[in-house]
Amino acid sequence: MKPPCYARAVLNHWGASVIDIPTSEKEESDLLVHMDGCAMLVEEKTKVDSVAWLGERRDVLARGEVHNTTTPLTRDNRLSGLIKKAASQLDSSSADRPHDFLLLWFTATGLQARPKFDQFIATLYGTTKIIEMGSNGFRTCYFFRNSDFFNCAQSLDGAIVAREENGKLSMKLCLNPLSPRVDDLRRSPIAARFPNALEDPIEAETRGAYVLDADIDRRDEPALLSYLQDKYRTAPLMPFDLGHMNIALHV
């Protein structure tokens, strides 16, 4: 069954003009959106719980056992493939359709909506958490891992990342700071719809986040950490990745 078009429902609610882009011989994005003088091409992707995972969960619970799943909140190859596909569709449609911005809309649904929401953002930005020796807490570091916003900088100005839980939709607009149009997007009518839900690494850096903006092999962790330590004048740093655990039991 085809998932609902969350993008259309929300954009219509905001008073935007939403036009379906017809299929053609080439790859196409889903929607052409006009909002307050701004034109956007939008490709929507939806992530649902897999049939295999739901079946396993059902069988475990039926036996009276505890079902648990741990989702690493790091870059995910399957989500990366989804992002690359969307970027290709947006790039194709942008060739002959006037537009201001290219946006991906991703909605996570089902029992794993929250971890998939966070994992998708980590895949866009290549984020990890960083601990500084001798200090309390940790900071987010953008672009520490391979990043799809980096790989698709010309084809993705940003992404609206949403999750649907119990009939409620939570959304965040993630800006791609590597896009040549990011400054315009930051001031755009669509960004104005997210006054308290805007993911912006440039702004986050002013509040203490790290941004790894050097051309260093992302597999060379010592070099990455050394760069961050020099850039931010810190004590030795250590990366670590969070995970989301889902535990269920019939009672």
Side-chain angles (χ1 to χ4, degrees), residues 100-115:
D100 297 298
F101 306 114
L102 304 173
L103 298 177
L104 166 58
W105 186 301
F106 172 82
T107 306
T109 68
L111 298 172
Q112 290 188 294
R114 186 176 294 270

Side-chain angles (χ1 to χ4, degrees), residues 169-209:
L169 195 67
S170 301
M171 300 179 295
K172 177 181 287 190
L173 173 59
C174 298
L175 301 183
N176 183 356
L178 306 176
S179 162
R181 296 169 291 274
V182 67
D183 290 335
D184 290 334
L185 180 57
R186 193 179 282 114
R187 298 187 295 266
S188 70
I190 189 68
R193 298 302 197 281
F194 295 87
N196 301 310
L198 198 66
E199 186 93 5
D200 184 351
I202 304 306
E203 191 276 332
E205 188 177 27
T206 67
R207 294 183 284 105

Side-chain angles (χ1 to χ4, degrees), residues 19-214:
I19 303 168
D20 287 316
I21 297 176
T23 57
S24 68
E25 294 181 354
K26 66 173 187 173
E27 293 185 324
E28 297 280 9
S29 56
D30 290 323
L31 305 171
L32 174 61
V33 179
H34 294 276
M35 175 188 287
D36 300 334
C38 173
M40 299 168 284
L41 289 169
V42 177
E43 171 62 21
E44 182 172 20
K45 303 293 186 185
T46 303
K47 183 70 175 177
V48 301
D49 293 328
S50 75
V51 174
W53 183 84
L54 288 171
E56 176 196 355
R57 182 179 185 273
R58 181 189 61 246
D59 293 343
V60 169
L61 295 179
R63 295 195 299 266
E65 299 173 3
V66 175
H67 182 266
N68 65 80
T69 303
T70 300
T71 304
L73 303 182
T74 59
R75 186 174 186 269
D76 178 81
N77 286 334
R78 290 186 178 181
L79 292 178
S80 175
L82 181 151
I83 294 167
K84 290 175 183 175
K85 174 68 173 178
S88 175
Q89 291 169 270
L90 288 163
D91 193 47
S92 177
S93 292
S94 70
D96 51 13
R97 287 180 171 82
H99 63 280
D100 297 298
F101 306 114
L102 304 173
L103 298 177
L104 166 58
W105 186 301
F106 172 82
T107 306
T109 68
L111 298 172
Q112 290 188 294
R114 186 176 294 270
K116 288 301 180 185
F117 174 93
D118 291 333
Q119 193 177 56
F120 191 83
I121 294 173
T123 302
L124 288 171
Y125 287 117
T127 53
T128 191
K129 303 299 181 185
I130 300 285
I131 297 176
E132 181 180 0
M133 293 285 200
S135 67
N136 296 321
F138 54 82
R139 303 186 188 207
T140 297
C141 180
Y142 295 89
F143 304 108
F144 190 86
R145 313 285 189 204
N146 287 324
S147 153
D148 283 280
F149 266 161
F150 174 85
N151 294 333
C152 305
Q154 298 299 317
S155 305
L156 277 182
D157 301 317
I160 296 172
V161 186
R163 66 176 188 267
E164 190 273 324
E165 298 173 291
N166 301 316
K168 294 182 179 180
L169 195 67
S170 301
M171 300 179 295
K172 177 181 287 190
L173 173 59
C174 298
L175 301 183
N176 183 356
L178 306 176
S179 162
R181 296 169 291 274
V182 67
D183 290 335
D184 290 334
L185 180 57
R186 193 179 282 114
R187 298 187 295 266
S188 70
I190 189 68
R193 298 302 197 281
F194 295 87
N196 301 310
L198 198 66
E199 186 93 5
D200 184 351
I202 304 306
E203 191 276 332
E205 188 177 27
T206 67
R207 294 183 284 105
Y210 297 146
V211 176
L212 209 162
D213 52 1

